[in-house]
Amino acid sequence: LIFMDHSFEMLLKAAILHKGGKIREKRAKETIGFSSCVRRAFSVATVRFLSAEEVLTLQSLNGLRDAAQNYTLEMSEQYLYFQAQAGLTLFRDIVRKVFNIELKTELPIRVLPLSTTPPVDIHAFFNTEVEEIKTLLQPNSRKKLEAIEKLRALAIMENSIQGNESQPSNAELRNLSSKLKEGSTWNQIFPGVSTLSFTQNGYGPSLDLRIVKQEGIPVQVVPEGTPGAAVVAIKRVNE
């Protein structure tokens, strides 16, 4: 996750420069960070090369990277797979769209599988993860810490969908745990995730996997230049 996040930041900066944009604010000593790169690549008309759904993929990856760097993060093989495969697909899309380069021509010929047990459906995956967390939260299980760290990974994706770039707090994670123990379903505590699905094309090393939103769900856009704001948030269906 850390290496993927850094790779995307470098790619986004290269793409912004390639399209005539800037990656350094006036009189700033450092170039802009990951979030500013994403915001600029999405909302600046002369630069734009990211769609709302591509932004969601990047926000989710960046949130997970922050957690992996600064917290203890517990992710299943399936969860890591769809983040990595969706990330690889998006990386390839940006390289093709901005630089007109086919990524496969620049990579070694060897084939390295991302996973031997890939998930098929995001809803089935979240349901399985939540049921496992409920088991870990049962009295006398002595695995509540593991449950919290698995819950953190899921909450990060929900936050990214809601346009929230901050990490879930301990209080928020305890609240989610309480709701699960009270019998709440996964789509009740993760309503944003319930609006998403996978699309898959091809197979093997040619597999494309993208995270897409349901038709008809409005997207709220926060323009470049809004301090501390998230880039995009998919509103809940019932709003």
Side-chain angles (χ1 to χ4, degrees), residues 39 41 43 45 50 61 77 81 83 98 107 113 117 137 167 180 198 207 213 216 221 235:
R39 189 175 297 115
S43 62
L50 292 178
L61 171 63
E77 174 72 9
Y81 166 79
Q83 291 290 342
V98 177
L107 294 178
T117 57
L137 289 172
Q167 289 288 316
L180 286 178
F198 290 148
L207 174 68
K213 64 183 179 66
V221 177
K235 294 182 179 179

Side-chain angles (χ1 to χ4, degrees), residues 19 30 37 50 53-54 57 79 84-85 89 96 105 114 176 192 195 216 223 230 233:
K19 293 180 73 67
E30 305 291 337
C37 285
L50 292 178
E53 289 160 343
E54 291 170 337
T57 299
Y79 194 11
Q85 185 67 67
T89 300
R96 179 187 296 146
T105 65
L114 283 170
L176 291 174
T195 69

Side-chain angles (χ1 to χ4, degrees), residues 18-19 39 44 83 85-86 156 170 216 219 238:
H18 185 76
K19 293 180 73 67
R39 189 175 297 115
V44 175
Q83 291 290 342
Q85 185 67 67
I156 286 170
N170 290 334
V219 174
N238 59 358

Side-chain angles (χ1 to χ4, degrees), residues 61-210:
L61 171 63
N62 190 236
L64 290 167
R65 173 267 174 201
D66 288 346
Q69 184 80 47
N70 300 298
Y71 298 87
T72 302
L73 186 67
E74 180 73 25
M75 291 181 71
S76 67
E77 174 72 9
Q78 289 78 17
Y79 194 11
L80 182 60
Y81 166 79
F82 80 68
Q83 291 290 342
Q85 185 67 67
L88 178 59
T89 300
L90 177 54
F91 200 97
R92 182 173 57 195
D93 290 344
I94 294 173
V95 169
R96 179 187 296 146
K97 188 184 333 182
V98 177
F99 300 100
N100 197 29
I101 295 173
E102 290 296 331
L103 186 60
K104 64 182 180 181
T105 65
E106 304 299 323
L107 294 178
I109 296 175
R110 72 179 71 92
V111 176
L112 299 176
L114 283 170
S115 177
T116 57
T117 57
V120 176
D121 177 79
I122 193 170
H123 295 181
F125 161 74
F126 259 75
N127 185 65
T128 300
E129 289 287 292
V130 166
E131 289 303 314
E132 183 176 342
I133 291 171
K134 286 181 178 179
T135 300
L136 295 173
L137 289 172
Q138 289 179 355
N140 303 320
S141 73
R142 297 184 179 181
K143 294 186 177 181
K144 290 184 174 60
L145 180 59
E146 182 181 345
I148 290 295
E149 298 310 329
K150 288 180 72 68
L151 196 54
R152 181 190 302 278
L154 302 183
I156 286 170
M157 187 167 187
E158 175 67 22
N159 281 358
S160 69
I161 295 166
Q162 301 295 346
N164 181 2
E165 293 180 330
S166 62
Q167 289 288 316
S169 67
N170 290 334
E172 290 171 336
L173 294 174
R174 286 195 297 270
N175 182 47
L176 291 174
S177 298
S178 297
K179 289 182 178 179
L180 286 178
K181 287 189 285 188
E182 291 167 1
S184 295
T185 60
W186 74 268
N187 52 323
Q188 289 175 322
I189 65 172
F190 299 124
V193 175
S194 67
T195 69
L196 303 181
S197 62
F198 290 148
T199 63
Q200 297 186 87
N201 297 304
Y203 60 91
S206 299
L207 174 68
D208 292 342
L209 187 148
R210 296 179 177 86

